[in-house]
Structure formats: structure tokens, C-alpha cells
Amino acid sequence: MNRKRICILGSTGSIGRNTLEIVRQFPDRFEVVGLAAGGNITLLRDQIGEFRPRVVAVMNAELADTLGRLLDGDSALFRPEILHGTEGYRRVAAHPDAHLLVSAMVGAAGLLPTLAAIEAGKTLALANKETLVVAGEIVMDLAARKGVSILPVDSEHSAIFQSLQGNNRSALRRILLTASGGPFFRRGCDELCRVTPDAALCHPNWSMGRKITIDSATLMNKGLEVIEARWLFGVPVDQISVHIHPESIIHSMVEYIDGSVIAQLGIPDMKIPIAYALSYPERLPVQVPPLDLFQLGKLSFFPPDEAKFPCLRLAYEACRKGATLPAVLNAANEVAVSAFLEGRIGFMQIPKLIESVMNTHTVAGTLTLEAILEADRWAREEAERLAAELALERQP
Ligand SMILES: NC(=O)c1ccc[n+]([C@@H]2O[C@H](COP(=O)([O-])OP(=O)(O)OC[C@H]3O[C@@H](n4cnc5c(N)ncnc54)[C@H](OP(=O)(O)O)[C@@H]3O)[C@@H](O)[C@H]2O)c1
């Protein structure tokens, strides 16, 4: 059987490592052509040794030199072409030998390389939700023009995608997105003002990268997923609702016009949706523990508390207003999450900062990639300025 040739952006991250675990489980099915990391060249070197990609890319020229020296110092190691920076990421994403790109960098940094892959006609396994949040309309238009399939990796979107199989899209009434609620679902508002980065990084069900783990704690992750679903499935935002489901067993549901609700269930393990995106429309015998629903006994659901988690409301607002506002929401969130992780701002200052930046933004009239990139740049600058002000206020 011909192996599917894949490239992975963000190979050193949580999704990237889980993707390589699937390749490890199915060496006859997949071949790694390209890998891209940010700065973790020690892990990238190990991945190069194991998967022998033709090309790799890292964040900058200095890291590329260091990686080159690491590989030269070990004569047993295979040596791929080493690229760097946005252009390097684009070349990995659009590599002529690859069939499919797993887009799994974190943040808006994934946008331009992902667009390069679509431009080159690669099938896209999309984990980097920020790409669709920031430029959903542009990404979906380009994919339609190029005849490119976008296969969701996010567990909720994979669940929706699976629940839509074999059904007529015009019969869809609603999308019901489930959310674990994160580590603070049961905490009071006053407690949330005092939570530490370490507490916020302890997700009850999922093991993920730091940024998405904080996004899960603020519910911004769910907000970003609402916008992602709006573009991926072409559904108006007001037909997408969010439901807290602390067990993370139902990964999302769709409701049809005849009243039927179809859901996808499974243990919370990203290898399941990753494997489905890699092998679609086939299914692979992935090595994960089975779901024992009957042992679990009960599944529970709660409405989201928007007073405790204002990020969800902000994301709906950005999606409804559209144009450059979702890019501003995303950029301000990236800056706010970093500032929180560095101890510069408090947990409840994350939504405050994002809302201030959104309120100051003048939404661009015509939506172009340039306008989006400019809004992203402006929002980061504005958010950094506000974070510095908030940090000063916090000083004793
Ligand atoms: N983790 C999950 O379970 C999960 C589930 C659904 C969706 N997602 C989405 O998947 C994406 C990745 O999440 P993750 O949890 O895998 O994140 P992660 O563990 O933090 O990994 C991020 C990856 O991106 C690289 N990276 C970070 N900043 C970069 C930059 N500026 N330029 C180039 N590369 C950069 C990192 O490289 P280095 O580490 O080498 O610096 C790493 O390989 C996010 O968009 C997230 O929302 C994740």
C-alpha cells in the first residue's frame, strides 16, 4: 500500500507529538516528509532521528544553525534540509512530496503557513483553530477554490464532522458544542481573581499545550471553537450553542430538523480525532483504552456561566461583528495569556484586557489578508500596553 506522506507544523507540541505517536503505531500507513518546531530543537533532533523527514523548519536562523551543529556532531543522525522563519514554515507546509499537512502550531503564527499549504492543494488536518478564528472567510474561500479538504483535529469539530457524515447539511438545525468547563468550573467569582498560573494549568481531563490549557480555564477556548465551527461547517453563529459537560465524553453533537440528535463519544484522548483526520474516510485500530460508558454511569450538563467566564461572550460578539474583530480578539488573548502565565496580570484581567482592546478597535471595512495582519499587529501592541498598565496596578 502507498503510504500517505505528511508534514507536521508544531511537531514538538502536544498535537504534534500525538500525531507522531499515530505514525509510530501505523508505520505502513504514514511517512513523515516534513517537520516544523518553534524552539525545542532537542526534541526536534530526536524526531529527525526517528522519522527521517526530508525537510525541517525552526523559528529563526540561529536555531537552524544550532540544530545543524547538533546533527553534524552525531554522524549516526540523518540530516534533512533545515529551513527557518515564516518562509521556512511555508515551504514545509507546501512541500511538493507531501499529501497532507497537520497544522498544529499554536496561535496566529500558523495562519500564513496553513494558507501556503492550501494554496499548494494539500489536504489539511487542522488543529490550529486560530487560523480559522483570525481569517475564517479567507481560508474557507481559498480552500473551496483550490478544492482542498479541511479535516478537523479539534475533538469537538471532529465530533461534529463525524456526526454530519451521511446526512444532508440542509437538515442541520443546531450544533451543540460541549466544554469540560476547565479547572475552575465550580469556583466562585471572587476565588477566580486569585487563581495562579499553576492552578490554571491543571486541566481536569485533557493534557494539552500551555496556551490552550489557559484558554480552557477562561472558556476562551470554547469561544474560539464557536468561531472555528462557524467557518468549518458554514453555520450561523447563533445556531451554535455551548454546554458544559465536565466528563468530556460526548465531544459534541448536532441536532437535525426532525429532532434527532447525533453525538460522537470517546475517552478524552487526542489520538482518536488525529487518527481520524489522518486516515479519513477510513478508521484505524488506534491503541487507546476503550470507553466504558456503563461503568461511568452518568453524564452531566450545565449552562456556561458568562459572568464568571466573560471570554465566551466576547468571542460570540467578535464572531457576530466579524471582519477584523476576531483577529483582534485572538491577538489580545494571546498577549493576555502570556502576561498571565508570566505573572504580570491576574486571571480575571484576561477578559478585561481583551474587551478593552476590542472596544478600541476600528473594524476594517474591506476584509483582506493585509487588513487582518495589520489588525493582529495593532491588537498585540495595544494589548501589551494595557498589560503593562495592569501589571503596574498589581504592584504592592
Ligand atoms: N493539545 C490539544 O489537545 C489540542 C486540542 C485541540 C486543538 N489544539 C490546537 O492545536 C494547536 C497546538 O496546540 P498544542 O496544545 O499542541 O500546543 P503546544 O503543545 O504548545 O505546541 C505548540 C507547537 O507550536 C510551536 N510553536 C509555538 N509558537 C510558535 C511560533 N511562533 N512559530 C512556530 N512554531 C511555534 C511549538 O514549538 P516549540 O515547542 O518547539 O517551541 C510547538 O511545536 C493550538 O492551536 C491548539 O488550540 C490543541
Side-chain angles (χ1 to χ4, degrees), residues 9-18 36-41 43-44 58-59 89 103-107 109-110 126-131 153-156 206-213 215 221 224-225 228 270:
L9 300 177
S11 67
T12 47
S14 168
I15 293 291
R17 284 180 274 118
N18 272 305
N40 188 349
I41 52 171
L43 178 56
L44 182 60
V58 291
M59 189 139 11
Y89 293 141
S103 173
M105 278 180 186
V106 65
L126 186 69
N128 177 247
K129 63 192 80 182
E130 293 90 344
T131 284
V153 167
D154 226 333
S155 57
E156 293 78 358
W206 295 94
S207 160
M208 309 181 286
R210 286 161 66 85
K211 191 252 177 190
I212 185 176
T213 305
D215 286 348
N221 184 49
L224 300 180
E225 287 178 7
E228 182 184 9
M270 286 307 294

Side-chain angles (χ1 to χ4, degrees), residues 171 173-174 176 254-262:
R173 184 188 282 155
R174 271 197 312 155
L176 301 106
V254 300
E255 182 185 298
Y256 288 97
I257 48 176
D258 63 356
S260 297
V261 174
I262 299 186

